[in-house]
Structure formats: structure tokens, C-alpha cells
Amino acid sequence: MKNDLPPDDFDLTDFLPYLLNQAAEECSLAFQKHYKDRYGMLRTEWRVLFHLGRFGTLTAQEISARSKMHKTKISRAITKLEHRRWLKRDTDAKDRRRELLQLTPSGQKVYHDLVQVAHDHQLELLGQFKMTDAKALQNMLKRLGRLK
Amino acid sequence: MKNDLPPDDFDLTDFLPYLLNQAAEECSLAFQKHYKDRYGMLRTEWRVLFHLGRFGTLTAQEISARSKMHKTKISRAITKLEHRRWLKRDTDAKDRRRELLQLTPSGQKVYHDLVQVAHDHQLELLGQFKMTDAKALQNMLKRLGRLK
DNA sequence: GCTTGTTAGTTACAAATGCAACAGTTAGCG
DNA sequence: CGCTAACTGTTGCATTTGTAACTAACAAGC
């Protein structure tokens, strides 16, 4: 006979999606302050900027695949970043549906500035753990996010 | 002289808020399917239901403090859950600003059903890790979310 | 008692979001 | 070629969300 109640050792307070959301909110909000205050950016825009800064030239579709963000979110973020002249778009000559996106020099400046902040922020977040635990955490998160 | 570029060993792909968001999205979306398909609930409503099911009687304010969700989100979720007769509210006689919320019997049924699903989902998520690593992950996430 | 300040919860309005439908381009295949 | 199917990116619309203002209730000090 199937046991249709969860075992006693299951506590929703330990539920992984819940813990992940709490932690993600806490950590992201703290960092959001920086790109919001300095550059008036939204989280979506920061993420697009970050992908282009990290990976170079990408299409919207590729950003969507990597970040798992909805393509309309990305489309709108790109428009905003373009208006601020932080990225430029060029139609791919080989496939004119695709638009090759890359940061302008001033976009790269913003990126490098924020990477520095991100780095400091990260040190603070991970500083509370042992180095090996921190590495293990990163690896487990990558697997959960299907990033590897 | 201060080094104003992040060291070479810092890669934004390892950035904790990014990893947390990816993992949280991936894990939450998979679980969302269940409460959405079965009960047409939104994530906010599921979270309120889950807090009441887990902790018994709470006020909106207490749910907000525990979950870190914005109080307007909670207020709206409560209204919806009330309309479905999954929770009832009673004004606190000692402080008539506060409303004591608790699940109705049918609300508890929904809760128990979803806890079962959550339990199975969790087993699947954590099954890929060694037990000790899984525990360590949960503890680190709690600390990052300032839950302990 | 009265006034001021604080708290619980709701609501109006504006902003962000997701979905579905769309235009434009390419690919496959007869 | 000519047709259909698939893909990239955008837009219109309805839903969800956050901010700020609001009501109602309490609390502290006079």
C-alpha cells in the first residue's frame, strides 16, 4: 500500500525551490541597488548587458537560450540599451532574420564597472563559507540550473 | 595602487545571484506546473497557502516577514484564496487591525496534496547529489536567504 | 480626553510582464 | 521555381507587479 502522506522528515521549510527563491531574492536585491542607483537599469537590462559583456557578440535568441528569459523581455531590454547607446545591432548578412548584438565602448565601460562591483559583492556573499563549500555550492547551482 | 579590474579568476558565469536565479527559475517552473494545472494557482498564492499550511494561523504581516514577499502581493493572494474558500480570515479581537488567517478543511486538502507533490519533486531534484552535499546545499541557501 | 506617530491591510495608478498574433526571412521539398 | 513550415524578433493586449497614498486601528505622551 502506498504511503500517501509525506514522511515526517520532510519539512516544506527545506523545500529547495523555496530556499532557492529566498536566497536568489536576497542576493539579487542587494546587488540590484548598484545598477539601479548608478545607471537606472532594470534587472532584465543588466542581465542582457552582462551576457553581451561576458560573451561578446550574441543574438537575442542566444541570450534567451542562455539566460532562459522570455524573448519579449529581452527584446525590450535591447531596445532600451540601444537607446542609451550601450549596444549596437547589426543584421547578420548571412541570415537577415538574426541581429548581431554587441556592446559599444560606453556599454563596455558600464559593464566593467559593474563587474567590479559584482566581484566585490560576490566576495562578501561567499566569504561566509569555506572556499571548498563555496565552490561546491556553485557547482550544484549550475547543475540545478542545467548550466552544465 | 588599487587594482581596478577584477582578478582573472572571476567569471561572471560563476556569479552567485546569476546562478541562484537560474536554478530558482528552473526548479520553480517545473513545480509550478503542478499547482497551476491542478488548481489554477499562481506562485504567490501557492506560497501563501504553503505558509499557512506549514505554520497554521498567521497574519498577512507575518507571512510577509517570513516570505519576504511584498504585502500587496500577499493581500491579493489572500483575497483569491478566500474566494475559493481555501482560507478564512478572522479579525484579531485583541488588535482589530490584524487578521488571523488559516486554511479551511478544503484548503488543507489542497495543501496536503501539493506537499506530497513537493516531496516527490524534491527527491528528484536532490537525488542527483550525495545526501551530505544536499544537506550542505540547503544550509548554505538558508544562510544566504538569511533564514538562519 | 486629545494629538501625534506607528502599524495592518487595501487600493489606485503606473510600470513590467507573458501570451498570442504578427511581419519578415530562410529552409525544405515537391 | 513555388509552396509550406520553421525561425527571429516585435507589438498589442490582458495580467501581474510595485510604489505610494489611503483607511482603520492602536499606542504614547501630554
Side-chain angles (χ1 to χ4, degrees):
Chain A
M1 167 188 170
K2 184 170 175 296
N3 180 7
D4 64 348
L5 283 180
D8 293 340
D9 65 351
F10 178 68
D11 181 349
L12 263 189
T13 306
D14 294 329
F15 188 42
L16 199 59
Y18 169 72
L19 294 177
L20 285 168
N21 270 298
Q22 296 285 110
E25 272 311 298
E26 186 73 30
C27 296
S28 295
L29 284 181
F31 182 63
Q32 173 176 24
K33 234 190 94 48
H34 292 107
Y35 54 74
K36 200 174 176 186
D37 289 356
R38 293 195 198 197
Y39 301 107
M41 254 188 284
L42 299 176
R43 200 191 300 198
T44 318
E45 292 156 43
W46 151 244
R47 290 213 201 153
V48 169
L49 186 96
F50 140 53
H51 276 87
L52 291 173
R54 170 67 180 76
F55 297 109
T57 303
L58 294 172
T59 66
Q61 151 61 23
E62 286 162 346
I63 297 176
S64 174
R66 281 183 186 277
S67 68
K68 296 191 180 66
M69 288 192 286
H70 197 275
K71 62 178 180 172
T72 59
K73 260 170 119 170
I74 294 171
S75 171
R76 284 156 178 152
I78 290 171
T79 303
K80 285 201 188 171
L81 293 174
E82 191 185 24
H83 283 149
R84 297 187 185 192
R85 320 239 179 245
W86 285 341
L87 73 74
K88 73 176 167 51
R89 58 217 301 175
D90 293 295
T91 306
D92 183 352
K94 296 186 189 95
D95 181 344
R96 297 189 359 259
R97 289 171 301 187
R98 292 154 46 89
E99 302 204 313
L100 305 174
L101 309 167
Q102 59 181 344
L103 296 185
T104 61
S106 54
Q108 286 182 19
K109 238 189 242 167
V110 176
Y111 172 74
H112 285 304
D113 178 36
L114 287 173
V115 165
Q116 179 63 54
V117 179
H119 176 249
D120 296 344
H121 185 55
Q122 166 116 304
L123 283 185
E124 202 178 323
L125 288 173
L126 290 180
Q128 60 185 308
F129 305 123
K130 280 183 297 196
M131 180 70 91
T132 52
D133 289 343
K135 289 282 177 214
L137 173 64
Q138 287 172 319
N139 283 328
M140 288 191 278
L141 291 175
K142 280 183 193 177
R143 286 176 64 179
L144 289 170
R146 304 196 193 291
L147 294 170
K148 83 172 206 189
Chain B
M1 168 187 170
K2 185 170 174 296
N3 179 8
D4 63 348
L5 283 178
D8 293 339
D9 64 350
F10 178 67
D11 180 349
L12 263 188
T13 306
D14 294 330
F15 187 43
L16 199 58
Y18 169 72
L19 294 177
L20 285 168
N21 270 299
Q22 295 286 111
E25 271 312 296
E26 186 73 31
C27 297
S28 295
L29 283 181
F31 183 62
Q32 174 176 24
K33 235 190 93 50
H34 293 106
Y35 53 76
K36 201 174 177 185
D37 289 356
R38 293 195 198 199
Y39 301 107
M41 254 188 284
L42 299 176
R43 201 190 297 194
T44 318
E45 292 156 42
W46 151 244
R47 291 215 202 150
V48 169
L49 186 96
F50 140 53
H51 276 87
L52 291 173
R54 170 67 180 76
F55 298 109
T57 303
L58 292 174
T59 65
Q61 153 60 23
E62 286 162 346
I63 297 176
S64 173
R66 282 183 186 277
S67 68
K68 296 192 181 64
M69 288 190 286
H70 198 274
K71 61 179 181 171
T72 60
K73 262 170 119 171
I74 294 172
S75 171
R76 283 154 180 153
I78 289 170
T79 303
K80 285 200 186 169
L81 293 173
E82 190 185 22
H83 283 149
R84 297 186 185 195
R85 320 235 179 248
W86 285 341
L87 73 74
K88 74 175 165 51
R89 59 216 301 176
D90 293 295
T91 307
D92 183 351
K94 296 185 191 97
D95 181 345
R96 300 196 347 266
R97 289 171 303 186
R98 292 155 45 91
E99 302 204 312
L100 306 173
L101 309 167
Q102 58 182 345
L103 296 184
T104 61
S106 55
Q108 288 182 17
K109 238 189 241 167
V110 177
Y111 171 73
H112 285 304
D113 178 35
L114 287 174
V115 165
Q116 179 63 54
V117 179
H119 176 249
D120 296 345
H121 185 55
Q122 166 116 304
L123 283 185
E124 201 178 323
L125 287 174
L126 291 180
Q128 61 185 308
F129 304 122
K130 280 182 298 195
M131 179 70 89
T132 52
D133 289 343
K135 289 283 177 212
L137 174 64
Q138 288 172 319
N139 284 328
M140 287 191 279
L141 291 176
K142 281 184 193 177
R143 285 177 63 179
L144 288 171
R146 304 196 192 289
L147 294 170
K148 85 172 203 189

